[in-house]
Amino acid sequence: MRLRIYLDVLRVPSVTRLLSSAVVGRMPTGMAGLAIVLLVRGAGGSYAVAGVVAGTYSAALALTSPLLGRLVDRVGQTRVLAGCAVASALSFGALAVVGRGASPVMLAGLAALAGASIPPVGACMRALWSDLLGHDDQLQAAFAVESTVQELIFVVGPPLVALLAAAVSPAAAVLGTGALLLAGVGVFAATPASRAWRPRRRAGDWAGALRSPGIRAVLATIVLLAGAFGTVEVTVVAGAEQLGSRTLAGPLLAMWALGSMAGGLAFGSRASDRGPERRMIGLLALVMAGIALLAVATGVVQLAAGMILAGLGIAPAIACLYLLVDRLAPAGTVTEAFTWVTTAFATGFAAGNALGGSLVHQVGTDRAFLVAAGGVAAAVLLARLRRPALAVRAAGMPEAAEGLGRAG
């Protein structure tokens, strides 16, 4: 492993502050779904209702993320991030306050408001990499660093939700999600590099980032992958309840994230003659095999070990996806392109959450895990079939090669 290149990236001025605050600001990614499920279950709702409410949050996030990304590409990062952070934190607070006595429709509405106003801090962080770093090796390492470090969201988030839910209440877990969002995004938005960032001039095309066939192929792959993740998330909660306690879901999901971190460190910095569109296929196959093994796990220890194995390919595969987006996005649309990534993940998670809730009731946890593995298998097949479109930039796409930077 070439760990030195990770250190070189982290030594670049502003990177550590931006990266750490972005991780805190994205804590809802690892907390909101589980917190909402526990809130609904704690109020006596079924897993089907919990899955729908959590899915509504993800669906709203999916719908608004590209709009917010396009707005950032027009006016800059600071105002968009700050306004969204306040709105989303207030929505989480309202959800926590009315959670126990509210109807499913009201819960879904508040969850939708919280998701719709999630600030695109992850996309803003990725848009800054091209400005902050000097060459392609550093850029590749930066995406590997980010995809690995962001797993802290899933290492810390689910156990924190479980702890707050058990020690205080599920409502406290929802409140904590909003508080961390507000704090992290506030620090990120106040960083000079974020405040000074300006978008590049873009072509007058209504399709924006979606006019790139490669971007469309990446997004379709992500939807399938995230659908599997959403199914696993709800299925793990059900499996933990079968093992004696829903709060076991937090540590189990953290094991998944730890496996992803280990995989990111092991594979993320290795140089390869193969392009990211080729490396990604093998890594997705590893994710598929790991999730399939969860179907035969029995007991807490086996399930925890299975979660670690299922996570090994996630961070390096996502790093490849990020690198492809950065290379394939037309000039002036990279923030929007990365928010489409958020939309793709959220759409997949929303469908996966709802599907997982139904599968647990209808066919049980073992078959639910197998369905999730099938979703990743579909992502592998799609990535293989669309590999020519993903490799176009590697052969030389001058528009995409400019990436994203400051005006002038």
Side-chain angles (χ1 to χ4, degrees):
M1 290 187 295
R2 299 188 304 139
L3 295 181
R4 180 179 178 82
I5 197 166
Y6 286 147
L7 297 177
D8 291 341
V9 169
L10 293 175
R11 289 191 185 111
V12 173
S14 299
V15 163
T16 301
R17 180 180 174 186
L18 287 165
L19 192 58
S20 59
S21 60
V23 167
V24 176
R26 285 182 286 171
M27 287 304 291
T29 307
M31 295 178 67
L34 180 58
I36 290 171
V37 169
L38 293 179
L39 183 73
V40 174
R41 288 292 291 160
S46 68
Y47 274 110
V49 172
V52 168
V53 174
T56 301
Y57 163 86
S58 296
L61 191 157
L63 288 171
T64 60
S65 285
L67 299 176
L68 296 175
R70 186 167 291 195
L71 185 60
V72 168
D73 279 332
R74 291 178 183 273
V75 305
Q77 297 186 358
T78 307
R79 286 178 288 172
V80 178
L81 290 175
C84 287
V86 172
S88 188
L90 289 174
S91 299
F92 277 119
L95 183 62
V97 169
V98 306
R100 181 165 289 276
S103 67
V105 173
M106 180 175 289
L107 291 174
L110 290 172
L113 289 174
S117 52
I118 287 288
V121 65
C124 290
M125 175 73 256
R126 293 165 203 140
L128 288 172
W129 284 130
S130 296
D131 282 346
L132 295 172
L133 304 175
H135 52 78
D136 287 346
D137 285 345
Q138 280 194 334
L139 188 60
Q140 177 175 326
F143 286 123
V145 167
E146 186 189 358
S147 61
T148 300
V149 171
Q150 77 177 1
E151 293 301 331
L152 290 172
I153 297 167
F154 303 100
V155 172
V156 176
L160 180 58
V161 168
L163 177 62
L164 289 171
V168 186
S169 69
V174 176
L175 281 173
T177 301
L180 288 172
L181 167 71
L182 191 60
V185 174
V187 172
F188 184 97
T191 302
S194 176
R195 293 170 59 195
W197 183 87
R198 296 294 182 272
R200 294 179 77 92
R201 184 176 301 171
R202 57 182 288 160
D205 189 319
W206 68 269
L210 294 183
R211 71 178 184 266
S212 165
I215 290 292
R216 296 196 297 269
V218 169
L219 295 177
T221 302
I222 289 172
V223 168
L224 292 170
L225 183 64
F229 292 167
T231 300
V232 169
E233 183 180 61
V234 175
T235 305
V236 166
V237 177
E241 185 169 327
Q242 291 173 4
L243 293 172
S245 174
R246 287 194 300 269
T247 57
L248 285 173
L252 287 171
L253 291 171
M255 293 299 101
W256 199 16
L258 284 172
S260 181
M261 290 184 70
L265 290 173
F267 301 115
S269 65
R270 289 185 175 180
S272 174
D273 293 333
R274 298 187 303 161
E277 72 281 354
R278 292 178 177 271
R279 298 197 303 272
M280 179 179 65
I281 293 173
L283 293 165
L284 290 176
L286 178 61
V287 175
M288 175 194 68
I291 293 176
L293 288 174
L294 295 174
V296 298
T298 59
V300 176
V301 174
Q302 287 189 18
L303 192 55
M307 294 297 285
I308 293 174
L309 292 174
L312 287 176
I314 293 176
I318 290 176
C320 290
L321 290 166
Y322 288 163
L323 188 57
L324 287 170
V325 171
D326 186 75
R327 291 181 175 184
L328 293 165
T333 68
V334 172
T335 307
E336 179 190 339
F338 278 117
T339 53
W340 276 113
V341 170
T342 301
T343 292
F345 270 113
T347 300
F349 263 105
N353 283 156
L355 178 63
S358 298
L359 288 172
V360 165
H361 280 290
Q362 295 176 10
V363 300
T365 57
D366 294 348
R367 292 184 182 180
F369 281 131
L370 289 177
V371 170
V376 184
V380 173
L381 179 61
L382 177 62
R384 178 63 183 85
L385 292 175
R386 297 294 293 157
R387 196 170 70 188
L390 299 175
V392 168
R393 163 65 179 89
M397 275 186 67
E399 183 182 37
E402 291 180 357
L404 185 72
R406 297 178 188 170

